[in-house]
Amino acid sequence: MFSAFFLPSFDWIQIEVSGLCNAQCFYCPHTVWRKDWLGANLSLATFKKLLPYFKKTKLVYLQGWGEPLLNPEFFEMVRLAKAQGVKVGFTTNGTLINEDLAEKIVFSKVDVLALSLAGIETNDRLRKGTSLNQVLKAIETINSVKTLKQQNPQIHIAYMLLRSNEYELERLPEFLAEYGIREIIVSLLDFVPSKDLEEECLAPQTEEDFNLLKKRAEKVAEKAKSLGLKMIFNLPSPCSQGRVCSENPIKSLFINSLGMVSPCVFTGIPVKQKTNVYFGNIHQETLKAIWNKQEYKEFREAHLSRAKPPVCATCPKARIELVF
């Protein structure tokens, strides 16, 4: 107990408990780089190495580039994390959630459950292997298991806004309003793994384009609010560079399914050809030792200045403006 006093504290730790996936979303690095993918299931023994740090962490998020529910130890990981008194969340494609799994999710007392979508009639085409109807059925099933007084898990929608589905955006609030969803978080394609996908990215290139998209987002968010939904847009501005990026590398980190520690999910993709930013591996070193390395400290200090590290200088996450 006393030794925990000397451990670093975090706003959140994001852990890729599974780097495997049963879907083939066409815009995801897992699909684009499938032949060179190194992701695996994180072992329970490795996960247990992180438990002491959870006592000084606000949120543990069990998701990376894969489907968390593919890890057979997933619910034991949730149980162990919750036993440390920390909030726990994860994002899923919803394909594996049946009535039995819905009960496990609710009884695990997980705090946040996000389900991924990319469109209404376009979702099943853009997110091959997933189903809009499955996601909606999963939400209904989970809500049916929850008691009248039970708030958790809070159900969120992680929505990917692309060129291919942008015409559906205005329909989204009304479409989802009756499903007991707490929030819809809309993101653009912040990481483009292939030149072929550049056209799908709606990140504004000029201030004029940004203002047009922002105005559109505000109208949709206002419509959602009138229906009892909170809708948040993560919009990268081409004209402003935030002091600290939305991935919060000062007080948060990402651990991928190989055990590699990285500032965020975008700098820790478990694939051969990607040049990532790794500061250590929890199989060889403690998380405390990795966090306290001089080069990691210098990386975080750079984020407190206007001079971002080169890998972050052009990242959209360093220019996010929230619209809600």
Side-chain angles (χ1 to χ4, degrees):
M1 191 78 174
F2 180 73
S3 61
F5 179 81
F6 298 99
L7 296 178
S9 59
F10 300 100
D11 286 346
W12 68 78
I13 298 177
Q14 184 172 354
I15 306 168
E16 185 181 56
V17 294
S18 181
L20 309 177
C21 194
N22 58 347
Q24 297 181 47
C25 305
F26 87 106
Y27 52 84
C28 180
H30 189 281
T31 301
V32 175
W33 294 331
R34 184 174 296 273
K35 291 182 179 179
D36 295 314
W37 199 254
L38 300 172
N41 276 334
L42 192 76
S43 73
L44 185 60
T46 300
F47 184 82
K48 286 179 177 179
K49 293 181 179 181
L50 301 171
L51 294 180
Y53 301 91
F54 295 171
K55 291 185 181 296
K56 298 181 68 175
T57 301
K58 296 176 182 177
L59 171 69
V60 170
Y61 209 78
L62 305 179
Q63 182 257 345
W65 295 103
E67 169 53 50
L69 293 174
L70 286 173
N71 191 319
E73 303 286 0
F74 176 78
F75 287 103
E76 178 62 8
M77 291 174 174
V78 173
R79 187 190 70 79
L80 290 170
K82 290 295 297 180
Q84 309 307 309
V86 68
K87 288 186 176 181
V88 178
F90 73 102
T91 301
T92 174
N93 60 33
T95 58
L96 301 174
I97 300 178
N98 52 25
E99 189 169 347
D100 179 61
L101 210 61
E103 289 184 356
K104 287 184 178 180
I105 289 170
V106 173
F107 296 153
S108 74
K109 301 187 185 303
V110 69
D111 298 275
V112 177
L113 167 65
L115 292 111
S116 299
L117 282 178
I120 302 173
E121 65 258 22
T122 54
N123 180 80
D124 297 4
R125 173 172 59 84
L126 302 178
R127 294 177 53 79
K128 188 177 178 181
T130 75
S131 164
L132 172 66
N133 288 334
Q134 277 183 313
V135 169
L136 298 179
K137 179 63 175 177
I139 294 170
E140 289 178 332
T141 304
I142 289 167
N143 282 331
S144 71
V145 176
K146 292 163 66 173
T147 65
L148 289 176
K149 294 183 179 180
Q150 192 168 358
Q151 299 295 317
N152 292 338
Q154 295 177 13
I155 297 176
H156 295 184
I157 293 294
Y159 192 86
M160 180 63 73
L161 182 61
L162 302 163
R163 185 80 61 190
S164 292
N165 65 19
E166 65 167 320
Y167 70 93
E168 301 180 281
L169 179 61
E170 279 73 14
R171 294 170 52 196
L172 196 61
E174 194 166 10
F175 183 79
L176 293 174
E178 302 302 319
Y179 285 92
I181 294 163
R182 178 72 172 266
E183 291 183 0
I184 304 171
I185 300 97
V186 181
S187 298
L188 308 187
L189 190 60
D190 295 311
F191 182 80
V192 182
S194 166
K195 284 189 175 295
D196 296 339
L197 292 170
E198 288 179 352
E199 185 61 28
E200 288 290 345
C201 181
L202 292 171
Q205 300 301 307
T206 66
E207 186 173 8
E208 181 181 7
D209 288 342
F210 175 78
N211 289 333
L212 287 172
L213 183 57
K214 181 180 178 181
K215 187 175 181 180
R216 184 181 180 188
E218 288 172 341
K219 287 183 178 179
V220 177
E222 189 62 32
K223 175 66 174 177
K225 186 177 180 180
S226 72
L227 296 169
L229 272 173
K230 185 175 183 180
M231 199 165 182
I232 303 170
F233 288 80
N234 293 292
L235 301 183
S237 169
C239 305
S240 63
Q241 188 80 9
R243 288 189 62 83
V244 179
C245 90
S246 61
E247 294 302 295
N248 191 18
I250 307 291
K251 292 288 291 181
S252 304
L253 54 80
F254 173 62
I255 302 171
N256 72 16
S257 57
L258 307 177
M260 304 300 292
V261 178
S262 191
C264 75
V265 68
F266 299 101
T267 56
I269 303 175
V271 69
K272 288 179 184 177
Q273 71 219 51
K274 174 77 165 58
T275 301
N276 287 301
V277 179
Y278 292 141
F279 291 104
N281 190 307
I282 57 173
H283 292 297
Q284 283 91 43
E285 304 172 89
T286 65
L287 184 57
K288 178 183 177 181
I290 295 170
W291 182 255
N292 288 330
K293 283 183 178 179
Q294 185 60 33
E295 57 266 37
Y296 205 168
K297 288 181 179 180
E298 291 173 357
F299 180 93
R300 297 194 298 272
E301 287 169 359
H303 270 276
L304 291 172
S305 70
R306 291 292 180 181
K308 295 287 187 293
V311 69
C312 305
T314 59
C315 179
K317 289 295 185 181
R319 306 187 306 276
I320 291 294
E321 182 173 330
L322 296 180
V323 176
F324 54 91

